[in-house]
Structure formats: C-alpha cells, structure tokens
Amino acid sequence: MALGPASFCVDAKTVIGVDPCVVERFLLDSGCFPLWHRGVAGVPTISTPVLQTGTSVEFFGRVGPLRFPYVTIVSAQEPGRKLALRTTRGIVDLLAVTTWAAADGGTEVRTTVDGRLTAARAGLATWAERIVRRNLGAELGDLKRLLETGQFEFTVPSQLTAHPPRCPLETPPDFF
C-alpha cells in the first residue's frame, strides 16, 4: 500500500533567566550553534560567523550511531525576535523557527519545528517526530542551562551585550 507525504509539528518553550539580548547573541553566534543542537555530530561548517538570512550550515545529523548529511539555511532572521532555519538537504525537510521575547523572569524562548517527508519516506514520520520532540526538549534545556550558568564562550563580538574578555575578536562585525 502506497502512502502519501507525511508531516508533523513539534512546539516547545522555556523561560531563561537572562536578558533577551544575551539570548539573541547566543542564538546568532555560529560558534555556539553546536553547543545546543543535539542532532549535530562533529563540527558544522557555517558560511558566516553570525547567523543571518542566507547563512548555510552543513553538518552530519546524528541519530544514535547513524549519521546523515544535512544542509540548513537561515531562511529568516528578524533582529530581537526570530531565527528560522530550513533544511535543504537531509532525510526530513525541517523548518525550525525560534522566537524570543522578554517575559517575567527573563526571556521566553519558543521553537516550533515543522517536518515534512516525501511519500517514499512517509513511513519514517512517527520515528522522525519522536526524535525531533525528544531533541527539541533537550535542546531548550541545554540552552537554558548554558545561558543561566554562563558555561559557554561567545566566538564573535557583538554590540548586543557587553564584550566579554573570553571572546577572541576585538571589534564586532557591522551586522552584529
């Protein structure tokens, strides 16, 4: 029996006890990308130091012992509000939209992932949704832990927050 295409949507949110500018800076810093993306195996190749519309991210997606090549692009980036990543190569077509806004106790961060599978891969939909749901919850937990404890290093200077001494570059790029 042939199946048609399949899709799923997963949504998760958390409140992080830091200023929205710190959250934005972390999300856009390409060196911080692998710190909170659980499905990334190894070091990704990212085309710009700061994630912005058009930036490409190439990596191997990890599911247990399996590795799959992925290419993701930043399809939208709205300063102070939103970062959207869309896969252009991978097993599942994903659109992950992360938004952030000031909230009581810090910053509310919400990520919504829409997944689509072709008819040939529709049988993987339940499995893919389960993996995305598990990883998304863990990723937001990692993001919260990293930002609230400061257990990370910015890799690109920015005007969004005070320039920490642990950042190796001296002057922020014009667009960040």
Side-chain angles (χ1 to χ4, degrees), residues 104-131:
D104 287 339
T107 304
E108 181 180 281
V109 178
R110 165 172 266 153
T111 300
T112 302
V113 178
D114 287 315
R116 291 180 174 49
L117 293 95
T118 62
R121 295 181 176 159
L124 300 173
T126 302
W127 173 79
E129 180 177 359
R130 188 172 60 244
I131 301 269

PDB file of all heavy atoms in Angstrom, residues 104-131:
ATOM      1  N   ASP A 104       8.339  37.558  32.272  1.00  0.00           N
ATOM      2  CA  ASP A 104       8.619  37.569  33.704  1.00  0.00           C
ATOM      3  C   ASP A 104       9.692  36.530  33.987  1.00  0.00           C
ATOM      4  O   ASP A 104       9.570  35.375  33.595  1.00  0.00           O
ATOM      5  CB  ASP A 104       7.364  37.231  34.514  1.00  0.00           C
ATOM      6  CG  ASP A 104       6.358  38.374  34.516  1.00  0.00           C
ATOM      7  OD1 ASP A 104       6.769  39.525  34.251  1.00  0.00           O
ATOM      8  OD2 ASP A 104       5.172  38.118  34.783  1.00  0.00           O
ATOM      9  N   GLY A 105      10.754  36.941  34.647  1.00  0.00           N
ATOM     10  CA  GLY A 105      11.824  36.015  34.998  1.00  0.00           C
ATOM     11  C   GLY A 105      12.911  35.893  33.945  1.00  0.00           C
ATOM     12  O   GLY A 105      13.812  35.084  34.088  1.00  0.00           O
ATOM     13  N   GLY A 106      12.840  36.659  32.850  1.00  0.00           N
ATOM     14  CA  GLY A 106      13.899  36.589  31.846  1.00  0.00           C
ATOM     15  C   GLY A 106      13.389  36.694  30.431  1.00  0.00           C
ATOM     16  O   GLY A 106      12.759  37.666  30.041  1.00  0.00           O
ATOM     17  N   THR A 107      13.628  35.634  29.648  1.00  0.00           N
ATOM     18  CA  THR A 107      13.274  35.616  28.231  1.00  0.00           C
ATOM     19  C   THR A 107      12.553  34.310  27.907  1.00  0.00           C
ATOM     20  O   THR A 107      13.049  33.236  28.225  1.00  0.00           O
ATOM     21  CB  THR A 107      14.547  35.706  27.357  1.00  0.00           C
ATOM     22  OG1 THR A 107      15.279  36.869  27.722  1.00  0.00           O
ATOM     23  CG2 THR A 107      14.210  35.761  25.888  1.00  0.00           C
ATOM     24  N   GLU A 108      11.381  34.430  27.285  1.00  0.00           N
ATOM     25  CA  GLU A 108      10.693  33.225  26.814  1.00  0.00           C
ATOM     26  C   GLU A 108      11.238  32.875  25.435  1.00  0.00           C
ATOM     27  O   GLU A 108      11.261  33.715  24.537  1.00  0.00           O
ATOM     28  CB  GLU A 108       9.190  33.440  26.730  1.00  0.00           C
ATOM     29  CG  GLU A 108       8.474  32.163  26.253  1.00  0.00           C
ATOM     30  CD  GLU A 108       6.982  32.318  26.157  1.00  0.00           C
ATOM     31  OE1 GLU A 108       6.309  32.248  27.197  1.00  0.00           O
ATOM     32  OE2 GLU A 108       6.495  32.522  25.023  1.00  0.00           O
ATOM     33  N   VAL A 109      11.684  31.631  25.295  1.00  0.00           N
ATOM     34  CA  VAL A 109      12.193  31.126  24.024  1.00  0.00           C
ATOM     35  C   VAL A 109      11.272  30.001  23.577  1.00  0.00           C
ATOM     36  O   VAL A 109      10.996  29.078  24.344  1.00  0.00           O
ATOM     37  CB  VAL A 109      13.641  30.605  24.160  1.00  0.00           C
ATOM     38  CG1 VAL A 109      14.128  30.030  22.835  1.00  0.00           C
ATOM     39  CG2 VAL A 109      14.566  31.710  24.645  1.00  0.00           C
ATOM     40  N   ARG A 110      10.796  30.104  22.346  1.00  0.00           N
ATOM     41  CA  ARG A 110       9.890  29.081  21.796  1.00  0.00           C
ATOM     42  C   ARG A 110      10.434  28.630  20.453  1.00  0.00           C
ATOM     43  O   ARG A 110      10.816  29.451  19.630  1.00  0.00           O
ATOM     44  CB  ARG A 110       8.495  29.654  21.620  1.00  0.00           C
ATOM     45  CG  ARG A 110       7.620  28.781  20.716  1.00  0.00           C
ATOM     46  CD  ARG A 110       6.202  29.219  20.677  1.00  0.00           C
ATOM     47  NE  ARG A 110       5.536  28.420  21.686  1.00  0.00           N
ATOM     48  CZ  ARG A 110       4.461  28.791  22.340  1.00  0.00           C
ATOM     49  NH1 ARG A 110       3.919  29.947  22.125  1.00  0.00           N
ATOM     50  NH2 ARG A 110       3.925  27.996  23.227  1.00  0.00           N
ATOM     51  N   THR A 111      10.466  27.327  20.260  1.00  0.00           N
ATOM     52  CA  THR A 111      10.869  26.767  18.969  1.00  0.00           C
ATOM     53  C   THR A 111       9.743  25.879  18.454  1.00  0.00           C
ATOM     54  O   THR A 111       9.234  25.031  19.185  1.00  0.00           O
ATOM     55  CB  THR A 111      12.176  25.956  19.075  1.00  0.00           C
ATOM     56  OG1 THR A 111      13.215  26.823  19.535  1.00  0.00           O
ATOM     57  CG2 THR A 111      12.574  25.383  17.733  1.00  0.00           C
ATOM     58  N   THR A 112       9.391  26.104  17.199  1.00  0.00           N
ATOM     59  CA  THR A 112       8.401  25.281  16.514  1.00  0.00           C
ATOM     60  C   THR A 112       9.103  24.628  15.333  1.00  0.00           C
ATOM     61  O   THR A 112       9.757  25.313  14.550  1.00  0.00           O
ATOM     62  CB  THR A 112       7.213  26.136  16.017  1.00  0.00           C
ATOM     63  OG1 THR A 112       6.633  26.804  17.140  1.00  0.00           O
ATOM     64  CG2 THR A 112       6.176  25.282  15.323  1.00  0.00           C
ATOM     65  N   VAL A 113       8.985  23.307  15.245  1.00  0.00           N
ATOM     66  CA  VAL A 113       9.604  22.566  14.149  1.00  0.00           C
ATOM     67  C   VAL A 113       8.503  21.915  13.327  1.00  0.00           C
ATOM     68  O   VAL A 113       7.710  21.132  13.847  1.00  0.00           O
ATOM     69  CB  VAL A 113      10.576  21.480  14.673  1.00  0.00           C
ATOM     70  CG1 VAL A 113      11.173  20.694  13.507  1.00  0.00           C
ATOM     71  CG2 VAL A 113      11.673  22.099  15.522  1.00  0.00           C
ATOM     72  N   ASP A 114       8.456  22.288  12.037  1.00  0.00           N
ATOM     73  CA  ASP A 114       7.550  21.643  11.090  1.00  0.00           C
ATOM     74  C   ASP A 114       8.380  20.679  10.257  1.00  0.00           C
ATOM     75  O   ASP A 114       9.395  21.079   9.663  1.00  0.00           O
ATOM     76  CB  ASP A 114       6.905  22.670  10.157  1.00  0.00           C
ATOM     77  CG  ASP A 114       5.853  23.496  10.863  1.00  0.00           C
ATOM     78  OD1 ASP A 114       5.046  22.907  11.600  1.00  0.00           O
ATOM     79  OD2 ASP A 114       5.842  24.726  10.677  1.00  0.00           O
ATOM     80  N   GLY A 115       7.967  19.418  10.231  1.00  0.00           N
ATOM     81  CA  GLY A 115       8.681  18.400   9.471  1.00  0.00           C
ATOM     82  C   GLY A 115       7.819  17.861   8.347  1.00  0.00           C
ATOM     83  O   GLY A 115       6.611  17.700   8.514  1.00  0.00           O
ATOM     84  N   ARG A 116       8.445  17.612   7.218  1.00  0.00           N
ATOM     85  CA  ARG A 116       7.737  17.061   6.077  1.00  0.00           C
ATOM     86  C   ARG A 116       8.577  15.940   5.478  1.00  0.00           C
ATOM     87  O   ARG A 116       9.787  16.072   5.348  1.00  0.00           O
ATOM     88  CB  ARG A 116       7.481  18.136   5.029  1.00  0.00           C
ATOM     89  CG  ARG A 116       6.463  19.161   5.510  1.00  0.00           C
ATOM     90  CD  ARG A 116       6.207  20.232   4.482  1.00  0.00           C
ATOM     91  NE  ARG A 116       5.164  21.168   4.795  1.00  0.00           N
ATOM     92  CZ  ARG A 116       4.987  21.833   5.922  1.00  0.00           C
ATOM     93  NH1 ARG A 116       5.787  21.634   6.921  1.00  0.00           N
ATOM     94  NH2 ARG A 116       4.011  22.687   6.086  1.00  0.00           N
ATOM     95  N   LEU A 117       7.889  14.863   5.119  1.00  0.00           N
ATOM     96  CA  LEU A 117       8.559  13.729   4.494  1.00  0.00           C
ATOM     97  C   LEU A 117       7.860  13.398   3.187  1.00  0.00           C
ATOM     98  O   LEU A 117       6.624  13.466   3.104  1.00  0.00           O
ATOM     99  CB  LEU A 117       8.516  12.501   5.410  1.00  0.00           C
ATOM    100  CG  LEU A 117       9.324  12.638   6.693  1.00  0.00           C
ATOM    101  CD1 LEU A 117       8.457  13.093   7.835  1.00  0.00           C
ATOM    102  CD2 LEU A 117      10.000  11.349   7.021  1.00  0.00           C
ATOM    103  N   THR A 118       8.649  13.027   2.185  1.00  0.00           N
ATOM    104  CA  THR A 118       8.079  12.627   0.899  1.00  0.00           C
ATOM    105  C   THR A 118       7.327  11.307   1.081  1.00  0.00           C
ATOM    106  O   THR A 118       7.489  10.618   2.099  1.00  0.00           O
ATOM    107  CB  THR A 118       9.188  12.435  -0.156  1.00  0.00           C
ATOM    108  OG1 THR A 118      10.047  11.383   0.292  1.00  0.00           O
ATOM    109  CG2 THR A 118       9.975  13.716  -0.366  1.00  0.00           C
ATOM    110  N   ALA A 119       6.549  10.938   0.083  1.00  0.00           N
ATOM    111  CA  ALA A 119       5.801   9.684   0.143  1.00  0.00           C
ATOM    112  C   ALA A 119       6.742   8.497   0.338  1.00  0.00           C
ATOM    113  O   ALA A 119       6.424   7.550   1.063  1.00  0.00           O
ATOM    114  CB  ALA A 119       4.965   9.505  -1.121  1.00  0.00           C
ATOM    115  N   ALA A 120       7.929   8.557  -0.271  1.00  0.00           N
ATOM    116  CA  ALA A 120       8.893   7.452  -0.153  1.00  0.00           C
ATOM    117  C   ALA A 120       9.406   7.299   1.275  1.00  0.00           C
ATOM    118  O   ALA A 120       9.814   6.215   1.676  1.00  0.00           O
ATOM    119  CB  ALA A 120      10.064   7.677  -1.107  1.00  0.00           C
ATOM    120  N   ARG A 121       9.385   8.386   2.048  1.00  0.00           N
ATOM    121  CA  ARG A 121       9.892   8.340   3.425  1.00  0.00           C
ATOM    122  C   ARG A 121       8.793   8.520   4.469  1.00  0.00           C
ATOM    123  O   ARG A 121       9.089   8.647   5.656  1.00  0.00           O
ATOM    124  CB  ARG A 121      10.946   9.430   3.622  1.00  0.00           C
ATOM    125  CG  ARG A 121      12.168   9.193   2.768  1.00  0.00           C
ATOM    126  CD  ARG A 121      13.196  10.248   3.001  1.00  0.00           C
ATOM    127  NE  ARG A 121      14.396   9.949   2.240  1.00  0.00           N
ATOM    128  CZ  ARG A 121      15.299  10.834   1.910  1.00  0.00           C
ATOM    129  NH1 ARG A 121      15.171  12.085   2.294  1.00  0.00           N
ATOM    130  NH2 ARG A 121      16.362  10.491   1.222  1.00  0.00           N
ATOM    131  N   ALA A 122       7.557   8.507   4.048  1.00  0.00           N
ATOM    132  CA  ALA A 122       6.443   8.751   4.964  1.00  0.00           C
ATOM    133  C   ALA A 122       6.391   7.754   6.116  1.00  0.00           C
ATOM    134  O   ALA A 122       5.955   8.091   7.218  1.00  0.00           O
ATOM    135  CB  ALA A 122       5.112   8.731   4.197  1.00  0.00           C
ATOM    136  N   GLY A 123       6.873   6.559   5.901  1.00  0.00           N
ATOM    137  CA  GLY A 123       6.894   5.554   6.961  1.00  0.00           C
ATOM    138  C   GLY A 123       7.800   5.930   8.131  1.00  0.00           C
ATOM    139  O   GLY A 123       7.694   5.370   9.218  1.00  0.00           O
ATOM    140  N   LEU A 124       8.687   6.898   7.916  1.00  0.00           N
ATOM    141  CA  LEU A 124       9.588   7.360   8.973  1.00  0.00           C
ATOM    142  C   LEU A 124       8.998   8.505   9.809  1.00  0.00           C
ATOM    143  O   LEU A 124       9.644   8.972  10.749  1.00  0.00           O
ATOM    144  CB  LEU A 124      10.913   7.838   8.356  1.00  0.00           C
ATOM    145  CG  LEU A 124      11.719   6.815   7.566  1.00  0.00           C
ATOM    146  CD1 LEU A 124      12.904   7.490   6.893  1.00  0.00           C
ATOM    147  CD2 LEU A 124      12.183   5.703   8.483  1.00  0.00           C
ATOM    148  N   ALA A 125       7.797   8.955   9.486  1.00  0.00           N
ATOM    149  CA  ALA A 125       7.232  10.150  10.118  1.00  0.00           C
ATOM    150  C   ALA A 125       7.115  10.013  11.634  1.00  0.00           C
ATOM    151  O   ALA A 125       7.502  10.932  12.374  1.00  0.00           O
ATOM    152  CB  ALA A 125       5.880  10.492   9.506  1.00  0.00           C
ATOM    153  N   THR A 126       6.586   8.916  12.129  1.00  0.00           N
ATOM    154  CA  THR A 126       6.412   8.740  13.576  1.00  0.00           C
ATOM    155  C   THR A 126       7.768   8.721  14.273  1.00  0.00           C
ATOM    156  O   THR A 126       7.960   9.362  15.303  1.00  0.00           O
ATOM    157  CB  THR A 126       5.645   7.437  13.872  1.00  0.00           C
ATOM    158  OG1 THR A 126       4.383   7.502  13.202  1.00  0.00           O
ATOM    159  CG2 THR A 126       5.416   7.252  15.351  1.00  0.00           C
ATOM    160  N   TRP A 127       8.709   8.026  13.690  1.00  0.00           N
ATOM    161  CA  TRP A 127      10.066   7.953  14.226  1.00  0.00           C
ATOM    162  C   TRP A 127      10.717   9.335  14.229  1.00  0.00           C
ATOM    163  O   TRP A 127      11.288   9.768  15.226  1.00  0.00           O
ATOM    164  CB  TRP A 127      10.863   6.963  13.387  1.00  0.00           C
ATOM    165  CG  TRP A 127      12.319   6.890  13.685  1.00  0.00           C
ATOM    166  CD1 TRP A 127      12.910   6.236  14.727  1.00  0.00           C
ATOM    167  CD2 TRP A 127      13.370   7.468  12.923  1.00  0.00           C
ATOM    168  NE1 TRP A 127      14.282   6.381  14.653  1.00  0.00           N
ATOM    169  CE2 TRP A 127      14.581   7.137  13.549  1.00  0.00           C
ATOM    170  CE3 TRP A 127      13.414   8.241  11.767  1.00  0.00           C
ATOM    171  CZ2 TRP A 127      15.820   7.540  13.059  1.00  0.00           C
ATOM    172  CZ3 TRP A 127      14.646   8.639  11.285  1.00  0.00           C
ATOM    173  CH2 TRP A 127      15.822   8.287  11.935  1.00  0.00           C
ATOM    174  N   ALA A 128      10.608  10.061  13.101  1.00  0.00           N
ATOM    175  CA  ALA A 128      11.218  11.387  12.990  1.00  0.00           C
ATOM    176  C   ALA A 128      10.592  12.359  13.989  1.00  0.00           C
ATOM    177  O   ALA A 128      11.303  13.136  14.648  1.00  0.00           O
ATOM    178  CB  ALA A 128      11.064  11.917  11.563  1.00  0.00           C
ATOM    179  N   GLU A 129       9.282  12.333  14.133  1.00  0.00           N
ATOM    180  CA  GLU A 129       8.621  13.227  15.087  1.00  0.00           C
ATOM    181  C   GLU A 129       9.078  12.929  16.518  1.00  0.00           C
ATOM    182  O   GLU A 129       9.333  13.839  17.300  1.00  0.00           O
ATOM    183  CB  GLU A 129       7.098  13.089  14.993  1.00  0.00           C
ATOM    184  CG  GLU A 129       6.381  14.005  15.960  1.00  0.00           C
ATOM    185  CD  GLU A 129       4.871  13.935  15.841  1.00  0.00           C
ATOM    186  OE1 GLU A 129       4.354  13.191  14.993  1.00  0.00           O
ATOM    187  OE2 GLU A 129       4.205  14.638  16.621  1.00  0.00           O
ATOM    188  N   ARG A 130       9.185  11.660  16.855  1.00  0.00           N
ATOM    189  CA  ARG A 130       9.628  11.287  18.203  1.00  0.00           C
ATOM    190  C   ARG A 130      11.045  11.797  18.476  1.00  0.00           C
ATOM    191  O   ARG A 130      11.333  12.353  19.532  1.00  0.00           O
ATOM    192  CB  ARG A 130       9.554   9.767  18.365  1.00  0.00           C
ATOM    193  CG  ARG A 130       9.815   9.308  19.782  1.00  0.00           C
ATOM    194  CD  ARG A 130       9.560   7.820  19.989  1.00  0.00           C
ATOM    195  NE  ARG A 130      10.396   6.995  19.138  1.00  0.00           N
ATOM    196  CZ  ARG A 130       9.948   6.182  18.183  1.00  0.00           C
ATOM    197  NH1 ARG A 130       8.658   6.071  17.944  1.00  0.00           N
ATOM    198  NH2 ARG A 130      10.779   5.468  17.460  1.00  0.00           N
ATOM    199  N   ILE A 131      11.941  11.672  17.499  1.00  0.00           N
ATOM    200  CA  ILE A 131      13.329  12.145  17.649  1.00  0.00           C
ATOM    201  C   ILE A 131      13.351  13.667  17.791  1.00  0.00           C
ATOM    202  O   ILE A 131      14.043  14.209  18.655  1.00  0.00           O
ATOM    203  CB  ILE A 131      14.182  11.720  16.434  1.00  0.00           C
ATOM    204  CG1 ILE A 131      14.179  10.227  16.296  1.00  0.00           C
ATOM    205  CG2 ILE A 131      15.570  12.334  16.495  1.00  0.00           C
ATOM    206  CD1 ILE A 131      15.231   9.464  16.978  1.00  0.00           C
TER     207      ILE A 131
END
